[in-house]
Amino acid sequence: MPSRRELANAIRALAMDAVEAANSGHPGMPMGMADIAEVLWNDFLSHNPRNPKWPNRDRFVLSNGHGSMLQYALLHLSGYDLSIGQIKRFRQLHSKTAGHPEAGETPGVETTTGPLGQGLANAVGMALAEKLLARRYNRDGFTIVDHCTYVFVGDGCLMEGISHEAASLAGTLKLGKLIAFYDDNGISIDGEVRGWFTDDTPRRFEAYGWEVLRDVDGHNPEAIKAAIVSAGLDPERPTLICCKTIIGFGAPRKQGKESAHGSALGRDEVAAARLQLGWTHAPFVIPDAIYDAWNAEARGAERETTWNALFARYAQAHPEPAAEFERRMAGELPAAWAAHAEATIRKLQAEGPAVASRKASQMAIDAFAPLLPELIGGSADLAGSNLTLWKGARDVNVPDAAGNYIYYGVREFGMSAISNGLALHGGFIPYDATFLVFSDYARNAVRMSALIPAHAIHVYTHDSIGLGEDGPTHQPVEHLASLRLIPNNRVWRPCDAVESAVAWRQALERRDGPACLVFSRQTLAHQQRSDEQLARIARGGYVLSDPPDAAFRAILIATGSEVELAMQAMRALAQQDIGVRVVSMPCAEVFDAQPPEYREGVLPGWCRARVAVEAASSDYWRKYVGLDGAVVGMTTFGASAPAEVLFAHFGFSVEHVIDTVRATLR
């Protein structure tokens, strides 16, 4: 039987060899954390390589994702569908072993990591998901939800501000099944971190309400094992295990130095490391005895089989919650969902409420959420402004099986990354909320939502200069364009209560990425629509109004509050015998994905007199209006004044829109 050190050295060897073959990567962290990973994966981690999506598996997150070869080595050695051929193709095009772990690309990778600290926040979301699902579905004698979330973090993760946001909230939420391993090796890219990172990290986490295990020898398997056992004893406090490690462990001339961090060790150093570690095997060669000792397929299958039998008995005793649990974990919406959503939207169209779209958003949540126990929301200390609280909202920090609302506090970045973790765990569709201007704080987590992709819904209110007196610090200008430029992100800016409900429906039904729902502070007029127009909202852009004889000379394209402005301008131009088509474009990304014939039907190429109207950055709209068209938008920051004064001052008036349309017709 191979020794623990030999098992850990298999990780080190694969990391050295893969980075050397790619001449790119980070060998230091995998070599330094190999002993910790070996103990965790072989003695504690409950998982099944044959079924990486087994619902009751432990979650493992590599927040310091630059050390991706650690995770790839673990997956390969323990039996996942990650061949030695893929290890050899580390960091190469279309391989399953990208430079940083990517969910959906590599079996067994729970989340995409790399931007430091976000993996920790994702893990907080996963641990919260486990706690809430256990609270809702476990019954006496049937503990069907019972797993841990383990996360590896480095100095860089803990320097990032998001680590403060996420760790602070984790302590408040009492996530006792969250266990973090801090790779305290004292080295980052620029050298010894004592020159710029002198925090008392253990005391910091103790202040958050975490259990902290200090000065664990990260190269002593028995010390590591004892720490993990201890971490599992406290049901209410998350645990930080502070592991003293040596970066690049085993590389005689580079271990303990920044030179081991982010580049290949070099042929001579790899050879020297093999000697020092006693690893006599050729590159990418793992002896059968070591493969056999690592392989987790049999014990993983046994654990899942045992759980399946438990769940079968649970389903007999408690059929309704069992069916709901299975549906939620499969990511399926209730059977009654489509009819309910359609009826809600049609009712709003018939009633025609004139409300702020943030209020319309709350109305949509009130209508949809009772059917969706998987919907879990929260706001960054702006619930009363974002209007994200609904009639059935229950604080998750209160012992209530129906807990579904998170008071995030002022933690926009952490909130958004925690939402990603909730979505990735399964069983939840999370939404979070803040002012649109503060999407800047959250933007990298929103980007990760789209990249992973995660089914997270990001709600942003106070969407323009229309918020008024708070002034330019709080008035978003470039934010809509910035969010729209994120690939695979869908940004909805609805013009009334009906479009708001459609936006919510589309966001809830989407399974391959996030949505940003952008709502107004000010009241918006209701727009009349035919059944055909109502159905076309979901296509992202549609003809809201045409002249009676369908003979139009210009097209007005608008979103949100500016749709009514476009409609008013259209009516005024009709009095001047100028026919204008009005196109509402609540989601440009969805519109762009429509077939060419549909897009041509809405924006025919022959009509080059086009004007886009949006109280935001102008440049985005050039792709629709072209060089012959015009944009009524923002080219500066806003100002502090009442909303109606600001709209007039910045040119969002019927008169200015009319003049702009006329100019395009010359």
Side-chain angles (χ1 to χ4, degrees), residues 1-12 29-47 60 62 69-71 73-75 77-78 150 152 181 217-226 228 243 245 249 279 289-296 299 303:
M1 178 71 180
S3 68
R4 283 193 177 277
R5 180 53 54 83
E6 287 176 303
L7 297 179
N9 284 346
I11 297 172
R12 295 184 173 102
M29 187 280 267
M31 296 175 75
M33 295 195 80
D35 295 304
I36 304 166
E38 187 278 321
V39 173
L40 175 63
W41 278 59
N42 282 327
D43 288 12
F44 293 92
L45 194 72
S46 181
H47 63 119
F60 174 78
L62 192 75
M69 264 312 304
L70 174 72
Q71 188 161 16
L74 290 165
L75 294 169
L77 292 167
S78 59
Y150 299 102
F152 282 10
F181 297 82
D217 183 347
H219 301 296
N220 182 332
E222 293 308 313
I224 297 163
K225 185 173 182 178
I228 299 173
C243 300
T245 63
F249 182 92
W279 188 263
I290 289 180
Y291 270 130
D292 291 343
W294 266 106
N295 193 288
R299 63 178 180 268
R303 283 171 174 160

Side-chain angles (χ1 to χ4, degrees), residues 114-194:
L116 294 177
Q118 287 200 56
L120 174 60
N122 294 166
V124 171
M126 293 175 188
L128 177 59
E130 190 276 342
K131 179 174 182 174
L132 297 179
L133 288 171
R135 186 186 290 170
R136 184 177 182 93
Y137 292 107
N138 287 351
R139 301 289 189 273
D140 289 343
F142 296 103
T143 306
I144 63 163
V145 181
D146 181 18
H147 53 267
C148 294
T149 302
Y150 299 102
V151 55
F152 282 10
V153 300
D155 290 307
C157 294
L158 299 186
M159 285 185 241
E160 289 285 1
I162 190 173
S163 72
H164 297 259
E165 298 181 25
S168 170
L169 191 60
T172 299
L173 295 173
K174 300 179 180 179
L175 302 179
K177 291 186 177 178
L178 173 63
I179 300 173
F181 297 82
Y182 168 30
D183 181 26
D184 185 9
N185 60 38
I187 296 292
S188 65
I189 294 174
D190 282 350
E192 296 185 12
V193 300
R194 62 187 178 187

Side-chain angles (χ1 to χ4, degrees), residues 122-337:
N122 294 166
V124 171
M126 293 175 188
L128 177 59
E130 190 276 342
K131 179 174 182 174
L132 297 179
L133 288 171
R135 186 186 290 170
R136 184 177 182 93
Y137 292 107
N138 287 351
R139 301 289 189 273
D140 289 343
F142 296 103
T143 306
I144 63 163
V145 181
D146 181 18
H147 53 267
C148 294
T149 302
Y150 299 102
V151 55
F152 282 10
V153 300
D155 290 307
C157 294
L158 299 186
M159 285 185 241
E160 289 285 1
I162 190 173
S163 72
H164 297 259
E165 298 181 25
S168 170
L169 191 60
T172 299
L173 295 173
K174 300 179 180 179
L175 302 179
K177 291 186 177 178
L178 173 63
I179 300 173
F181 297 82
Y182 168 30
D183 181 26
D184 185 9
N185 60 38
I187 296 292
S188 65
I189 294 174
D190 282 350
E192 296 185 12
V193 300
R194 62 187 178 187
W196 50 86
F197 185 49
T198 58
D199 301 21
D200 189 333
T201 298
R203 291 181 65 187
R204 170 187 152 194
F205 274 76
E206 286 170 348
Y208 294 149
W210 287 53
E211 175 188 17
V212 177
L213 304 177
R214 302 168 180 247
D215 297 322
V216 174
D217 183 347
H219 301 296
N220 182 332
E222 293 308 313
I224 297 163
K225 185 173 182 178
I228 299 173
V229 169
S230 177
L233 298 178
D234 193 325
E236 294 199 336
R237 286 191 298 168
T239 301
L240 180 72
I241 302 176
C242 300
C243 300
K244 293 292 185 181
T245 63
I246 300 171
I247 191 170
F249 182 92
R253 289 181 290 273
K254 293 191 175 184
Q255 67 177 18
K257 300 176 182 178
E258 64 271 20
S259 57
H261 175 85
S263 59
L265 296 176
R267 184 174 59 184
D268 291 344
E269 186 70 0
V270 170
R274 277 181 148 75
L275 286 174
Q276 179 152 315
L277 294 170
W279 188 263
T280 59
H281 315 290
F284 299 108
V285 172
I286 305 295
D288 289 344
I290 289 180
Y291 270 130
D292 291 343
W294 266 106
N295 193 288
E297 292 179 74
R299 63 178 180 268
E302 182 180 356
R303 283 171 174 160
E304 183 174 356
T305 298
T306 300
W307 183 85
N308 287 340
L310 173 67
F311 190 83
R313 295 194 300 274
Y314 173 79
Q316 285 187 327
H318 306 284
E320 290 186 10
E324 184 181 271
F325 177 82
E326 288 187 296
R327 177 189 66 76
R328 287 176 60 170
M329 295 306 294
E332 298 171 355
L333 295 173
W337 163 254

Side-chain angles (χ1 to χ4, degrees), residues 41 47-53 71-89 94-98 102 104-109 291 295-297:
W41 278 59
H47 63 119
N48 184 6
R50 296 177 187 172
N51 181 12
K53 296 299 183 182
Q71 188 161 16
Y72 298 146
L74 290 165
L75 294 169
H76 169 71
L77 292 167
S78 59
Y80 283 80
D81 182 19
L82 192 67
S83 68
I84 196 67
Q86 290 292 334
I87 300 293
K88 291 178 179 179
R89 297 189 62 241
H94 302 315
S95 75
K96 293 182 181 180
T97 48
E102 295 184 23
E105 296 295 325
T106 312
V109 171
Y291 270 130
N295 193 288
E297 292 179 74

Side-chain angles (χ1 to χ4, degrees), residues 340-391:
H340 177 75
E342 186 68 22
T344 299
I345 292 165
R346 288 187 173 277
K347 184 171 183 288
L348 284 169
Q349 183 63 50
E351 294 176 350
V355 295
S357 56
R358 63 171 175 160
K359 179 60 180 177
S361 169
Q362 186 181 49
M363 292 164 62
I365 300 172
D366 268 324
F368 294 155
L371 205 65
L372 301 172
E374 59 265 50
L375 190 63
I376 183 168
S379 170
D381 202 43
L382 288 169
S385 294
N386 298 146
L387 300 186
T388 46
L389 282 169
W390 61 287
K391 294 173 184 175

Side-chain angles (χ1 to χ4, degrees), residues 552-575:
F552 57 91
R553 297 172 57 196
I555 300 174
L556 279 168
I557 310 167
T559 78
S561 53
E562 288 71 69
V563 169
E564 174 60 17
L565 175 60
M567 292 291 287
Q568 292 174 8
M570 175 273 294
R571 296 184 191 107
L573 284 163
Q575 298 298 314

Side-chain angles (χ1 to χ4, degrees), residues 356-358 385-386 434-439 459-468 474-481 483-484 491-496 500 517-524 559-562 614-617 634 647:
S357 56
R358 63 171 175 160
S385 294
N386 298 146
T434 186
F435 289 169
L436 178 58
V437 75
F438 300 135
S439 65
V459 175
Y460 300 122
T461 68
H462 296 62
D463 66 349
S464 72
I465 57 172
L467 70 88
H474 282 54
Q475 291 166 2
V477 173
E478 73 279 18
H479 300 73
L480 283 167
L483 292 169
R484 286 169 176 150
V491 181
W492 290 84
R493 187 176 185 239
C495 75
D496 65 0
S500 298
L517 307 184
V518 181
F519 300 117
S520 72
R521 179 193 185 197
Q522 70 273 26
T523 297
L524 304 185
T559 78
S561 53
E562 288 71 69
E614 186 176 68
S617 179
M634 296 292 294
F647 279 124

